[in-house]
Amino acid sequence: MKKINIKFFSCLFTLTMLLLSGSMMAQTFTGTSANPFISSNNAVPTTSVATAAAVAGTIGAGAFVDNVTIDITHTWDGDMDITLISPVGTTLDLSSGNGSLNDNYTNTVFQDGAPSITTGTPPFTGTFQAEGGTFAATFAGEDPNGTWTLSVVDNVGGDDGNLNSFEITFGATCAIDPVADVVVDNDPGTCGANVTLIANAPT
């Protein structure tokens, strides 16, 4: 009689279930702006605010900023400084003075671990890391709930634009509890055994 150790398969199955569950726990909040016009009258910010609610945990302990997505119409991107501000006032430089005389940020996604926005070119369609660093390090320990602000400042006269959209998405971190060895006796003369595994859902 041959005994079958299925620890690897059970761990793989549990990990798969956790990842699937985690992907369904993302929460996205959409910003609104009272005046989305980006004026070229120097250092007057255009803002959009997104209010996060019912996000469990703190940044780095149960929750994380998965991504920030923006869409801006503006001639001469190099005029703009774009900043994310947390509910407690911590700031992260998303992009400052990038793009030179070229135009727009079109469906631009900021996400930790991606290439820096400084490596991109207008309209910056794709996924980039914020110029000022990571969400994880910048906002570590903060409560994700509250008002997040996207601030856009045009530092040079002559070119105007519009802040079309801003979204911030939070994810939930899941601790993986390794599955213990599972050893099953098979029937004499056979090379397999049927085993049913039940994955624990993250709490």
Side-chain angles (χ1 to χ4, degrees):
M1 186 186 313
K2 182 179 180 181
K3 292 189 176 182
I4 304 170
N5 189 317
I6 58 172
K7 178 179 179 181
F8 172 78
F9 297 104
S10 60
C11 283
L12 180 61
F13 178 76
T14 303
L15 177 60
T16 301
M17 292 302 294
L18 285 172
L19 290 175
L20 288 174
S21 179
S23 67
M24 293 185 288
M25 296 171 69
Q27 295 170 271
T28 299
F29 301 92
T30 301
T32 58
S33 180
N35 181 14
F37 179 67
I38 302 170
S39 174
S40 61
N41 62 350
N42 299 330
V44 177
T46 297
T47 60
S48 178
V49 296
T51 302
V55 180
T58 58
I59 304 297
F64 62 96
V65 179
D66 182 77
N67 70 78
V68 166
T69 302
I70 65 172
D71 194 282
I72 295 172
T73 302
H74 191 284
T75 52
W76 208 295
D77 282 352
D79 290 358
M80 290 186 292
D81 294 342
I82 305 169
T83 306
L84 179 67
I85 307 169
S86 76
V88 298
T90 305
T91 61
L92 175 62
D93 174 21
L94 298 181
S95 180
S96 291
N98 295 305
S100 186
L101 53 75
N102 296 297
D103 304 339
N104 307 330
Y105 283 77
T106 304
N107 296 323
T108 304
V109 179
F110 293 93
Q111 190 171 57
D112 288 356
S116 172
I117 189 68
T118 60
T119 66
T121 56
F124 298 108
T125 300
T127 303
F128 305 92
Q129 183 167 288
E131 184 171 355
T134 65
F135 297 126
T138 303
F139 304 115
E142 295 191 17
D143 185 348
N145 297 292
T147 300
W148 291 78
T149 303
L150 184 77
S151 172
V152 182
V153 175
D154 186 326
N155 293 302
V156 182
D159 291 89
D160 299 322
N162 202 75
L163 173 52
N164 301 318
S165 64
F166 155 56
E167 290 184 343
I168 184 168
T169 298
F170 298 93
T173 55
C174 299
I176 298 175
D177 185 14
V179 178
D181 284 354
V182 179
V183 179
V184 179
D185 291 335
N186 61 344
D187 295 330
T190 64
C191 294
N194 293 323
V195 180
T196 300
L197 299 175
I198 300 175
N200 294 322
T203 57

